[in-house]
Every structure is written in structure tokens, then in C-alpha cells.
């Protein structure tokens, strides 16, 4: 029998004919934490760790300039190059589409990074 569907139920694109009651929502605290989140202020905490930066050229949420700035700060603090992947014609959410070439590039780059450093 099909589950009851209400306005908050969405199709799960990963599995045919399955439903979930997951809600695409966040509370007010999440917004406050997002506004206060400043990862550049913590770059010095990861200078001794191999770092892979992945940026999407058309990302409006996490602009590619931030990844480039992080790379420069890591280099200045540790004198070590970071691995960087900049994805052309890609936005913030494209990297999560499992059936896309972008997703495959991210996975392949991440696995190559792991093989290089682990």
C-alpha cells in the first residue's frame, strides 16, 4: 500500500516509488550560525594537514574566490601547496547530483587525493 502523502512529503529521487517525510527546513538558529560562520578565521588550524579545496565556478553561496583565498592563506601559513579542484559551469548544488559528470569529477578527485596522502 502507498504511504499517505502530505504537503511535506517529497519524492526521493534516488529510489523509484519511494517516499520520505524529510522536510527541507531549518530553524532560526541555523541561519544565525551560518551568518557567524567564518572558516577563513580558522585556516591556521589546518596548516599541517593535506587539504583539498573544491570550488564551483558558478557557485553563488561559496564563491570560487574564497577557495582561492583559502589556498593562498594555507600556502602562506604552511609553505605547502593545497590540492584545488575548480569545477567549470557548475553551481553549489551540482556536485551532489549523483548522475552527473560533476559528481564523478568530485569523487575521482577526492579518491586521488586520498590515495596521494593516506
Amino acid at each position: 500500500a502507498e504511504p499517505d502523502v502530505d504537503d511535506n512529503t517529497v519524492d526521493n529521487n534516488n529510489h523509484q516509488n519511494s517516499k520520505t517525510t524529510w522536510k527541507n527546513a531549518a530553524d532560526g538558529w541555523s541561519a544565525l550560525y551560518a551568518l557567524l560562520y567564518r572558516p577563513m578565521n580558522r585556516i591556521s588550524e589546518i596548516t599541517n594537514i593535506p587539504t583539498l579545496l573544491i570550488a564551483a565556478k558558478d557557485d553563488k553561496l561559496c564563491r570560487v574566490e574564497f577557495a582561492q583565498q583559502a589556498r593562498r592563506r594555507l600556502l602562506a601559513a604552511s609553505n605547502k601547496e593545497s590540492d584545488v579542484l575548480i569545477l567549470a559551469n557548475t553551481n553549489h548544488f551540482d556536485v551532489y547530483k549523483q548522475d552527473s559528470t560533476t559528481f564523478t569529477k568530485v569523487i575521482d578527485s577526492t579518491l586521488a587525493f586520498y590515495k596521494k596522502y593516506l
Side-chain angles (χ1 to χ4, degrees), residues 97-108:
K97 296 176 184 173
Q98 293 182 8
D99 58 345
S100 71
T101 57
T102 300
F103 182 81
T104 302
K105 283 182 194 175
V106 170
I107 295 300
D108 290 346

Side-chain angles (χ1 to χ4, degrees), residues 15 17 26 70 78 83 94 96-98 101 104 114 116-117:
H15 304 287
N17 300 324
S78 67
D83 289 41
D94 287 340
Y96 302 107
K97 296 176 184 173
Q98 293 182 8
T101 57
T104 302
Y114 290 155
K116 181 176 177 181
Y117 292 106

